[in-house]
C-alpha cells in the first residue's frame, strides 16, 4: 500500500502481528509501563532475556525490548525526541526478581543506526523467530526483517 510496507496499509497503521490484537497490545504496554503516548508508535515488542532463551527460573524477572517510531514532525524539532528509555531493577546478580518487569526501548531510527554499526545485541533481535517469541510487530519492522542479512558483518584477515 501507500505506506510502503510489505505488510500493506494496515501494518503502517499499527496492525501487523499482535498476539491477541490491539487490546492485548494496550494491556501489555500498560503492564510493562512503556513511557509512550500511544501504542501506534510501537513497531516491535519482544519478550527477551532469560525467557527468550528458555532459561528462566522461578526467580527470574521479565524483560521486554521495545522499538518505537517517533513522528516525523517531532524528529524535525530543534529539541528532538528521546532516542531510548529503560527501566531496570537494581539488584545483586542472582537476586530474586520474580514478578519484576524490566524494559528497554529504542527509537527506530536510532535502532537502525546501531544496526549499521554492527551492534550484536540489536542484530540478534532481527533473527528471533516471530512466531515463537514476538509479542507485536508492524511496519517498518517487517521491511527491516527482510533486509536483516545486510547487517551481518564478517571480519576479514
Amino acid at each position: 500500500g501507500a505506506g510502503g510496507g510489505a505488510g500493506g496499509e494496515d501494518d503502517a497503521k499499527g496492525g501487523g502481528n499482535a498476539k491477541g490484537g490491539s487490546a492485548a497490545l494496550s494491556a501489555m504496554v500498560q503492564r510493562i509501563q512503556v513511557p509512550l503516548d500511544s501504542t501506534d508508535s510501537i513497531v516491535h515488542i519482544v519478550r527477551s532475556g532469560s525467557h527468550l532463551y528458555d532459561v528462566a527460573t522461578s526467580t527470574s524477572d521479565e524483560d521486554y525490548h521495545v522499538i518505537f517510531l517517533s513522528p516525523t514532525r517531532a524528529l524535525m524539532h530543534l529539541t528532538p525526541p528521546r532516542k531510548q528509555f529503560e527501566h531496570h531493577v537494581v539488584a545483586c546478580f542472582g537476586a530474586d526478581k520474580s514478578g519484576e518487569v524490566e524494559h528497554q526501548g529504542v527509537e527506530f531510527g536510532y535502532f537502525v543506526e546501531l544496526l549499521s554499526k554492527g551492534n550484536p545485541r540489536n542484530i540478534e533481535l532481527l533473527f528471533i523467530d516471530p512466531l515463537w517469541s514476538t509479542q507485536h510487530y508492524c511496519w517498518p519492522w517487517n521491511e527491516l526483517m527482510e533486509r536483516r542479512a545486510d547487517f551481518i558483518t564478517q571480519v576479514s584477515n
Side-chain angles (χ1 to χ4, degrees), residues 62-73:
E62 285 185 73
D63 301 287
Y64 289 87
H65 201 281
V66 180
I67 308 293
F68 64 96
L69 190 62
S70 292
T72 304
R73 277 188 169 290

Side-chain angles (χ1 to χ4, degrees), residues 30-111:
Q30 185 175 9
R31 183 171 164 276
I32 299 170
Q33 299 180 351
V34 173
L36 296 173
D37 294 333
S38 168
T39 59
D40 292 343
S41 65
I42 296 175
V43 173
H44 182 251
I45 295 180
V46 65
R47 191 176 190 193
S48 55
S50 59
H51 289 276
L52 176 62
Y53 298 103
D54 200 24
V55 294
T57 67
S58 62
T59 62
S60 295
D61 62 353
E62 285 185 73
D63 301 287
Y64 289 87
H65 201 281
V66 180
I67 308 293
F68 64 96
L69 190 62
S70 292
T72 304
R73 277 188 169 290
L75 293 170
M76 297 173 65
H77 284 192
L78 291 175
T79 307
R82 67 173 131 195
K83 291 182 177 181
Q84 55 192 3
F85 59 80
E86 62 183 20
H87 167 73
H88 296 285
V89 175
V90 178
C92 296
F93 181 77
D96 184 347
K97 293 188 353 182
S98 59
E100 297 289 348
V101 178
E102 300 181 334
H103 64 260
Q104 174 183 354
V106 181
E107 201 282 327
F108 184 78
Y110 184 56
F111 180 77

Side-chain angles (χ1 to χ4, degrees), residues 85-146:
F85 59 80
E86 62 183 20
H87 167 73
H88 296 285
V89 175
V90 178
C92 296
F93 181 77
D96 184 347
K97 293 188 353 182
S98 59
E100 297 289 348
V101 178
E102 300 181 334
H103 64 260
Q104 174 183 354
V106 181
E107 201 282 327
F108 184 78
Y110 184 56
F111 180 77
V112 172
E113 180 182 331
L114 295 172
L115 286 174
S116 70
K117 293 178 179 179
N119 182 304
R121 185 173 185 202
N122 291 329
I123 291 172
E124 176 184 45
L125 294 175
L126 295 175
F127 289 88
I128 296 170
D129 183 347
L131 297 175
W132 181 64
S133 63
T134 300
Q135 304 296 318
H136 171 80
Y137 71 91
C138 64
W139 182 88
W141 185 259
N142 48 3
E143 286 189 31
L144 193 58
M145 289 284 292
E146 291 173 7

